[in-house]
């Protein structure tokens, strides 16, 4: 019944949007004629230049060029105008334009500065120049203030100023993210965290498609991070693809039309030695074939004195086949050799010895700087991902976009499980150690996606329409066995902490190993329509139908995922209010008492907020409130399952990027979240129902303030400071184990010249000792120093 209602409602809404566009367009036909003046900004190297201020005279309207150099002035009355560039330090000839049609172009505006000078004059490491518009959040051309979807953008300038060298450090800049942790699952480990109370991170998208499944990653070829908040299954699917907390999309560095390069070296505490290379070059004279290559080698000891060795390579090729067809190919290889330690209160799969501890984690007297192991073996994870995109301009109104991606991870993992226990306050904490041995693990994903994107008018009203098909396949195979190793006290000596590979191999000879292979196929079709009822009022309606097939367990399930949104720009391109209804789903393989397959689990979100891009882009951000209800959560009853449990997540998100004066930049985020087991039937109902979900703090925040001198004798010098933290949470669903919150601070100084950059950074200035928790305890890094030198050529 619910499915039929969703389909009928969506069909009626689409019909209403289309017909209202026709009738309202006819009603406005006699209104004052307005149109659009557009063009493109190029630098002296004929490369599209983003974030250049363009002014329309005599109206005095300002806009900025996007990442392809394009700019537009909308809702302009017919008449004579002049288009000029007003960015400091550059000049260009003014262009006269007569607007006498719905849309005209002034062509290319050539700047009279070279690319490297323009970078220094215009960008100046200023967040206000971050283009928060995205073609991947909605998969159609929607500006930041138009889009009724909450998403945050982490720019490369912020990561550079913070001297970020790990994905963990980068993701802490996303408002509301908490409890970062390395977790294991499906034969591979990944970085996981809480977002809106839900665990996220097993799959992070790259350029809008999946290129990995339960795997670690590195940021050496990342341009920026887009964090889409809340359930987003309508466009991105469900299950492993998209958490109820959001979708996290890594935007990679794209090939450019100039020859340039960069070499960077970072060293610091605990034998940190990291080298990255970024080289870009056109492959022919007419610049229709462009190549960009990024590489990384990272060797370090962690603050727990556990060694890591990482290497990565990522080429990107762009081919402009003709005026209509563009081909883009990306490859990504990453290998990490490190010990994988999972510390907590639960036994590994197939293991025993769950902790009975109840109390505060601090009373266990654990030392985050102590790994409680000294292994003489490591785990090895390798990921190879390749994706291609073909974009073909069918007409002035329609574009075809075809994406194909494959990814494969081959892992030899030895998960070291540590279970902390303390029987009484007077006892010494013990740690039970075991090994989940995976001598073979293979994780494979394949995705095909076909999108048709339209931007057209019905009468006088603008319509943006997305029609897409999506195929996503996972193939997960592993061979594993659980090995009980020993039990030690936290006061153990270095010799007692040594986990010997020879002993592990000896126990493994008498251990039962089992293998498994799980193959799933997901077939999706989706449609999304955005209608401009007026130039400022937008309505969005979207629907996804998804067919999930698990071949190994022989079950099939159909899911429906609608999405509705409304956005009104109080100030055009500057201030808007929005509201949305978003949906997420997860397929369930259990059966009821009659042997029938259960329904999917659904997450339904209601959200409203304010978006702003004010004072010539000096203040951008979002403030929102949300309510997410998860229904159809299954529970076991004897030999079958029922779906009567529920969860609810409510909260507030604040995301701000500010540039109040030249050179001063502020990135600030805050998240409040209250997620609970609102219905929890079963034997543990009295001890769980109404409790907070484990690993979800009420409060999480981050701030970074950066100042760089833009003139005078100190030009190029700068400094930054900030921190992040979270409040306390529980590590179990009975809420008997409490984990205290934390706050840590860091600071940096830098000198940025045309050819080079020098940066020094200190993290965790107060040397705060703390843990985070997301399925497992994860030790927070102690005080660390890092130094970087970057040379540009």
């Amino acid at each position: 019944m619910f499915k039929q209602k969703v389909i009928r409602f969506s069909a009626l809404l689409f019909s209403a949007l289309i017909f209202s566009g026709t009738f309202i367009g006819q009603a406005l036909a006699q209104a004052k004629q307005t149109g659009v003046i557009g063009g493109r900004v190029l630098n002296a190297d004929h490369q599209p230049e983003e974030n250049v201020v363009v002014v329309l005279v005599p109206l005095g309207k300002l806009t900025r060029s996007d990442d392809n150099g394009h700019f537009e002035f909308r809702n302009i009355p017919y008449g004579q105008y002049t288009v000029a560039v007003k960015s400091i330090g550059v000049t260009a000839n003014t262009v006269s334009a007569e607007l006498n049609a719905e849309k005209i172009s002034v062509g290319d505006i050539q700047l009279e500065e070279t690319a490297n000078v323009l970078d220094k004059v215009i960008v100046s490491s200023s967040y206000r120049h971050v283009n928060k518009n995205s073609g991947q959040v909605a998969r159609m051309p929607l500006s930041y203030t138009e889009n009724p979807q909450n998403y945050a953008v982490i720019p490369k300038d912020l990561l550079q100023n913070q001297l970020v060298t790990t994905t963990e450090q980068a993701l802490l800049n996303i408002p509301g993210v908490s409890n970062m942790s390395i977790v294991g699952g499906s034969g591979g480990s990944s970085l996981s965290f809480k977002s809106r109370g839900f665990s996220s991170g097993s799959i992070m998208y790259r350029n809008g498609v999946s290129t990995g499944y339960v795997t670690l990653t590195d940021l050496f070829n990342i341009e920026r991070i887009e964090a889409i908040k809340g359930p987003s299954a309508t466009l991105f699917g469900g299950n492993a693809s998209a958490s109820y907390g959001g979708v996290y999309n890594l935007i990679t560095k794209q090939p450019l039309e100039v020859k340039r390069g960069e070499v960077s070296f970072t060293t610091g505490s605990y034998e940190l030695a990291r080298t990255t290379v970024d080289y870009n070059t056109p492959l022919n004279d007419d610049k229709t074939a462009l190549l960009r290559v990024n590489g990384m080698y990272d060797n370090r000891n962690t603050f727990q004195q556990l060694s890591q060795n990482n290497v990565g390579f990522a080429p990107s090729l762009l081919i402009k086949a003709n005026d209509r067809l563009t081909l883009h190919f990306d490859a990504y290889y990453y290998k990490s050799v490190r010990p994988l330690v999972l510390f907590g209160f639960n036994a590994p799969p197939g293991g025993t010895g769950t902790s009975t501890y109840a109390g505060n984690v601090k009373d266990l007297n654990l030392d985050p700087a102590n790994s409680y192991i000294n292994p003489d073996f490591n785990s090895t994870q390798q990921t190879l991902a390749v994706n291609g995109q073909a974009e073909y301009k069918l007409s002035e109104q329609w574009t075809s976009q075809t994406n194909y991606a494959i990814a494969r991870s081959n892992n030899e993992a030895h998960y070291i499980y540590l279970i902390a226990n303390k029987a009484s306050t007077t006892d010494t904490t013990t740690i039970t150690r075991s090994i989940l041995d995976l001598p073979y693990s293979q994780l494979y994903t394949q995705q095909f996606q076909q999108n048709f994107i339209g931007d057209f008018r019905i009468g006088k009203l603008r319509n943006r329409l997305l029609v897409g098909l999506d195929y996503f396949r996972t193939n997960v195979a592993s061979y594993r066995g659980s090995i009980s190793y020993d039990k030690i006290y936290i006061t153990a000596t270095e010799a007692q902490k040594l986990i010997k590979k020879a002993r592990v191999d000896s126990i493994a000879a008498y251990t039962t190993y089992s293998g498994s292979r799980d193959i799933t196929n997901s077939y999706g079709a989706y449609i999304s329509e955005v209608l401009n009822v007026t130039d400022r009022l937008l309505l969005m309606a979207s629907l996804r139908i998804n067919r999930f097939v698990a071949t190994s367990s022989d079950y099939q399930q159909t899911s429906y995922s609608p999405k509705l949104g409304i956005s009104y720009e109080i100030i055009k391109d500057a201030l808007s209010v929005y509201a949305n209804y978003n949906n997420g789903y997860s397929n369930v393989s259990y059966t009821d008492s009659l042997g029938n397959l259960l329904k999917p689990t659904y997450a339904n979100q209601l959200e409203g907020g304010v978006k702003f891009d004010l004072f010539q882009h000096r203040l951008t951000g979002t403030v929102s409130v949300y309510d997410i209800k998860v229904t159809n959560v299954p529970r076991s009853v004897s030999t079958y399952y029922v779906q009567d449990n529920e969860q609810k997540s409510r909260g507030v998100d604040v995301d701000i990027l500010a540039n109040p004066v030249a050179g001063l930049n502020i990135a600030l985020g805050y998240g409040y979240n209250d997620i609970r087991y609102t219905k929890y039937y079963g034997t543990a109902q009295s001890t769980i129902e109404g409790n907070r979900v484990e690993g979800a703090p009420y409060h999480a925040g981050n701030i970074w303030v950066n100042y760089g001198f833009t003139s005078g004798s100190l030009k190029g010098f700068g400094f930054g400071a900030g921190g992040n933290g979270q409040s306390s949470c529980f590590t179990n669903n009975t809420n008997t184990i409490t984990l205290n919150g934390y706050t840590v601070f860091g600071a940096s100084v830098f000198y940025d010249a045309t050819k080079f950059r020098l940066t020094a950074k200190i993290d965790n200035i107060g040397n705060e000792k703390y843990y985070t928790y997301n399925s497992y305890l994860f030790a927070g890094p102690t005080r660390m120093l890092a130094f970087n030198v970057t040379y540009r050529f």
Side-chain angles (χ1 to χ4, degrees):
M1 182 65 68
F2 172 76
K3 297 177 183 177
Q4 293 176 345
K5 288 182 177 178
V6 168
I7 295 174
R8 291 171 182 169
F9 176 76
S10 301
L12 288 172
L13 182 58
F14 277 114
S15 299
L17 290 176
I18 297 299
F19 285 114
S20 65
T22 302
F23 288 118
I24 297 176
Q26 292 174 352
L28 296 178
Q30 304 302 319
K32 185 177 181 180
Q33 290 183 306
T34 61
V36 177
I37 298 177
R40 189 171 64 152
V41 179
L42 303 179
N43 60 31
D45 295 324
H46 300 280
Q47 176 192 356
E49 193 62 54
E50 64 177 320
N51 297 317
V52 177
V53 178
V54 185
V55 63
L56 185 65
V57 181
L59 295 182
K61 282 197 171 187
L62 299 176
T63 189
R64 287 181 181 270
S65 56
D66 64 17
D67 53 358
N68 292 313
H70 294 289
F71 66 87
E72 283 188 349
F73 295 98
R74 292 186 168 275
N75 199 27
I76 305 300
Y78 281 15
Q80 295 285 340
Y81 298 97
T82 300
V83 179
V85 170
K86 291 296 183 182
S87 286
I88 299 174
V90 297
T91 60
N93 293 328
T94 59
V95 179
S96 297
E98 181 181 358
L99 181 60
N100 55 11
E102 288 188 2
K103 184 174 183 179
I104 68 167
S105 175
V106 298
D108 295 339
I109 298 178
Q110 190 82 38
L111 300 178
E112 297 179 7
E113 285 286 1
T114 60
N116 60 341
V117 174
L118 194 62
D119 286 343
K120 302 306 295 177
V121 173
I122 296 180
V123 179
S124 301
S125 298
S126 176
Y127 305 159
R128 73 184 178 96
H129 297 295
V130 173
N131 182 2
K132 298 191 79 169
N133 299 338
S134 171
Q136 296 190 18
V137 172
R139 292 187 181 156
M140 64 172 67
L142 279 180
S143 72
Y144 177 65
T145 53
E146 286 180 319
N147 196 335
Q149 172 82 56
N150 187 348
Y151 66 95
V153 173
I154 310 303
K156 63 178 181 180
D157 298 303
L158 177 58
L159 302 180
Q160 177 181 259
N161 291 330
Q162 292 180 343
L163 195 53
V164 165
T165 60
T166 66
T167 309
E168 298 96 298
Q169 293 172 324
L171 293 177
L172 287 173
N173 289 294
I174 298 173
V177 161
S178 64
N179 277 323
M180 201 77 61
S181 180
I182 299 293
V183 302
S186 300
S189 62
S190 64
L191 183 64
S192 186
F193 49 89
K194 289 290 187 179
S195 176
R196 297 196 168 182
F198 301 97
S199 293
S200 304
S202 63
I203 287 184
M204 286 193 218
Y205 280 75
R206 284 178 180 267
N207 303 321
V209 293
S210 173
T211 52
Y213 178 64
V214 192
T215 185
L216 298 172
T217 188
D218 194 280
L219 299 177
F220 67 94
N221 72 325
I222 300 304
E223 181 76 13
R224 70 179 192 174
I225 302 172
E226 294 180 352
I228 306 169
K229 300 298 190 71
S232 302
T234 309
L235 294 185
F236 292 91
N239 301 305
S241 300
S243 159
Y244 296 156
V247 171
Y248 297 85
N249 191 20
L250 307 178
I251 309 300
T252 61
K253 297 176 181 178
Q254 303 298 302
L256 307 172
E257 293 185 357
V258 294
K259 189 173 184 178
R260 61 172 62 169
E262 179 179 288
V263 177
S264 181
F265 177 73
T266 305
T267 186
S269 301
Y270 309 111
E271 297 79 49
L272 169 63
R274 177 182 174 88
T275 301
T276 60
V277 177
D278 181 359
Y279 180 70
N280 185 91
T281 183
L283 297 179
N284 55 5
D285 292 337
D286 58 3
K287 300 181 180 180
T288 57
L290 311 174
L291 176 67
R292 189 166 187 173
V293 178
N294 284 269
M296 173 275 299
Y297 179 76
D298 187 315
N299 186 280
R300 66 176 80 189
N301 283 334
T302 70
F303 66 99
Q304 293 181 323
Q305 294 299 334
L306 299 176
S307 64
Q308 288 187 18
N309 188 286
N310 309 306
V311 63
F313 179 69
S316 180
L317 176 65
L318 181 69
I319 299 175
K320 302 174 185 178
N322 52 49
D323 292 340
R324 290 176 175 262
L325 177 63
T326 301
L327 303 175
H328 193 179
F329 303 96
D330 282 290
Y332 171 81
Y333 173 77
Y334 177 67
K335 178 180 180 181
S336 179
V337 180
R338 66 176 78 183
L340 297 177
V341 184
L342 304 179
F343 196 0
F345 304 97
N346 299 311
T352 59
T354 300
S355 175
T356 60
Y357 179 71
N360 196 304
V361 172
K362 69 179 179 62
D363 294 328
L364 291 170
N365 299 315
L366 301 171
D367 181 3
N370 190 336
S371 66
Y372 299 104
I373 64 166
N374 186 10
D376 59 357
F377 61 93
N378 286 315
S379 294
T380 301
Q381 291 195 93
Q382 298 183 79
T383 298
L384 174 63
V386 179
N387 65 283
Q389 181 184 91
E391 190 166 280
Y392 185 77
K393 193 171 182 63
L394 299 169
S395 67
E396 289 298 318
Q397 292 79 32
W398 286 94
T399 299
S400 168
Q401 184 187 83
T402 306
N403 297 296
Y404 181 74
I406 57 173
R408 189 180 202 131
S409 294
N410 295 303
N411 306 322
E412 183 183 351
H414 314 282
Y415 291 113
I416 304 170
Y417 277 81
L418 308 179
I419 301 175
N421 206 355
K422 188 175 185 178
S424 70
T425 56
T426 58
D427 288 340
T428 301
T429 299
T430 61
I431 297 177
T432 302
R433 304 191 298 180
S434 59
I435 313 294
L436 182 61
D437 188 29
L438 289 93
Y440 165 79
S441 173
Q442 182 185 87
L443 313 171
Y444 174 76
T445 65
Q446 181 180 11
Q447 185 173 18
F448 172 81
Q449 188 181 97
Q450 174 61 52
N451 296 314
F452 294 99
I453 305 164
D455 189 349
F456 55 92
R457 289 182 178 273
I458 298 177
K460 290 293 184 179
L461 300 184
R462 185 182 184 188
N463 289 262
R464 279 162 280 191
L465 181 64
L466 167 70
V467 180
L469 299 172
D470 184 72
Y471 167 72
F472 184 59
R473 176 183 176 89
T474 65
N475 186 334
V476 181
S478 63
Y479 188 65
R480 63 181 64 193
S482 185
I483 299 170
S484 297
Y485 191 80
D486 69 0
K487 181 183 292 186
I488 64 171
Y489 291 105
I490 62 169
T491 54
T493 65
E494 291 300 309
Q496 292 171 326
K497 289 189 296 184
L498 178 64
I499 294 181
K500 299 179 181 179
K501 187 176 187 302
R503 183 180 172 189
V504 173
D505 292 341
S506 176
I507 300 174
Y510 300 95
T511 299
T512 300
Y513 281 71
S514 61
S516 65
R517 180 177 292 275
D518 296 315
I519 300 175
T520 66
N521 295 289
S522 183
Y523 308 87
Y526 47 87
I527 184 170
S528 182
E529 155 76 0
V530 174
L531 172 69
N532 279 83
V533 179
T534 71
D535 191 45
R536 298 185 180 187
L537 178 62
L538 289 86
L539 299 179
M540 171 185 281
S542 313
L543 177 67
R544 180 189 188 94
I545 301 175
N546 201 86
R547 183 67 169 172
F548 181 80
V549 180
T551 58
S552 54
S553 54
D554 191 27
Y555 85 91
Q556 303 178 13
Q557 200 163 58
T558 301
S559 306
Y560 299 88
S561 184
K563 175 181 178 180
L564 303 173
I566 183 171
S567 176
Y568 180 74
E569 293 186 289
I570 300 172
I571 303 174
K572 182 63 179 172
D573 299 322
L575 177 65
S576 67
V577 292
Y578 75 94
N580 66 53
Y581 164 80
N582 279 359
N583 174 271
Y585 64 85
S586 180
N587 295 103
V588 178
S589 60
Y590 305 127
T591 56
D592 62 18
S593 59
L594 300 177
N596 298 316
L597 190 67
L598 298 182
K599 300 175 182 178
T601 297
Y602 284 103
N604 298 293
Q605 173 185 272
L606 294 174
E607 180 180 31
V610 178
K611 288 187 176 184
F612 43 90
D613 189 1
L614 301 167
F615 311 120
Q616 299 183 27
H617 310 280
R618 292 183 180 272
L619 180 63
T620 66
T622 304
V623 178
S624 71
V625 295
Y626 61 86
D627 183 298
I628 304 172
K629 184 178 181 180
V630 183
T631 58
N632 293 349
V633 179
R635 66 178 176 93
S636 174
V637 179
S638 183
T639 59
Y640 61 93
Y641 285 80
V642 295
Q643 292 181 286
D644 53 5
N645 285 347
E646 293 181 0
Q647 294 180 19
K648 178 165 282 193
S649 174
R650 295 175 174 175
V652 177
D653 265 336
V654 179
D655 169 29
I656 295 175
L657 295 178
N659 173 232
V661 297
L664 176 62
N665 304 286
I666 302 170
L668 181 148
Y670 168 73
Y672 169 81
N673 175 258
D674 184 8
I675 181 171
R676 296 182 180 274
Y677 296 100
T678 50
K679 292 183 180 179
Y680 198 96
Y681 298 109
T683 56
Q685 179 178 5
S686 61
T687 58
I688 296 178
E689 187 169 276
N691 286 358
R692 288 184 56 76
V693 172
E694 58 273 20
Y698 280 114
H699 308 280
N702 61 278
I703 186 172
W704 187 262
V705 180
N706 199 81
Y707 182 76
F709 292 93
T710 58
S711 61
S713 59
L714 293 178
K715 182 178 180 180
F717 282 99
F719 55 88
N724 65 84
Q726 64 186 54
S727 59
S728 63
C729 63
F730 297 104
T731 67
N732 59 347
N733 58 9
T734 55
N735 291 181
T736 58
I737 306 177
T738 302
L739 178 67
N740 288 342
Y742 70 91
T743 303
V744 295
F745 299 96
S748 69
V749 295
F750 61 87
Y751 177 69
D752 200 352
T754 302
K755 285 292 186 179
F756 66 91
R757 179 185 173 96
L758 303 174
T759 309
K761 171 81 180 298
I762 179 171
D763 286 303
N764 196 352
I765 295 174
N767 204 28
E768 176 90 359
K769 293 186 177 181
Y770 65 98
Y771 283 97
T772 59
Y773 182 85
N774 191 2
S775 299
Y776 304 99
L777 290 172
F778 190 64
T782 54
R783 183 188 298 121
M784 297 179 66
L785 291 170
F787 305 91
N788 171 268
V789 56
T790 297
Y791 174 70
R792 307 181 183 103
F793 57 91

